[in-house]
Amino acid sequence: MIVITIDQRRSRSGPDKVESLLRRLDGEYNAVRGFERTAGDELQGVLDDGVMAVALALDVAHTGEWSVGIGVGSVQTPMPRETRAGRGPAFEYARDAVERAKNSSGALALSGPGPEAERIEAELQLLALVNARRTKTSAEAGTLVSQGLTQQQVAARLEISQQAVSARLASGLWYETARLTNLAGRALTDYSMTMEGGQGS
């Protein structure tokens, strides 16, 4: 199972943003156990889909407002209805991950047993750093492409040439990162399933 713990950055010097993030996550992502505030400015949810977990983690980390920790391992069953009442190694790994995320590349970390956790974490941190360093124009073009628009449609929407769209996508490594994001998500699903098979303690 995949447990994601999210902690608000610089919460002492700004407003509480947990409730607004909870509403957004509830509307955009399907979880085994929905995200809930666990303590103070922290929230937590449980997922079983690695592709979705990766998309969520990168999405939240990209805002620059949150530290995101992903824990992979087994959970005690039957799982309680409330996320904050959950127990098991996956929750413990998520706690370790979010603490490390506070000082990690891209404000994102992943913890779990074995070397696979380190490899997936490295991929996610690289993706998070690329996301953070894109220019505004590159991000604008890439977001439209990720929504299903063709380069020609993006060019018409932004009132620029198709060659300019292609250049913006290339500078932001959009196709390369999309491929790596998908592969990392699939790897996370496989890793999580292996841990559920009895190796996650």
Side-chain angles (χ1 to χ4, degrees), residues 85-113:
R87 297 289 184 271
F91 288 91
E92 296 165 10
Y93 282 123
R95 166 55 50 199
D96 171 76
V98 77
E99 290 301 321
R100 291 193 299 107
K102 296 174 182 179
N103 298 299
S104 296
S105 299
L108 192 160
L110 183 148
S111 296

Side-chain angles (χ1 to χ4, degrees), residues 18-27 35-37 43:
V18 172
E19 292 302 322
S20 61
L21 181 59
L22 283 172
R23 289 192 295 272
R24 184 161 76 84
L25 295 180
D26 183 57
F35 280 83
E36 298 177 351
R37 184 191 292 266
L43 55 155

Side-chain angles (χ1 to χ4, degrees), residues 9 57 61 64 66-69 101-109 125 128-129:
R9 300 169 69 88
W66 307 91
S67 298
V68 183
K102 296 174 182 179
N103 298 299
S104 296
S105 299
L108 192 160
Q125 290 181 346
L129 287 174

Side-chain angles (χ1 to χ4, degrees), residues 33-86:
R33 290 292 183 274
F35 280 83
E36 298 177 351
R37 184 191 292 266
T38 53
D41 52 7
E42 183 179 279
L43 55 155
Q44 189 173 68
V46 182
L47 296 87
D48 59 4
D49 183 333
V51 174
M52 182 176 295
V54 165
L56 186 157
L58 291 173
D59 178 21
V60 174
H62 182 57
T63 66
E65 299 175 340
W66 307 91
S67 298
V68 183
I70 304 173
V72 183
S74 60
V75 298
Q76 290 183 10
T77 55
M79 287 185 61
R81 296 185 65 177
E82 292 189 342
T83 304
R84 57 171 131 333

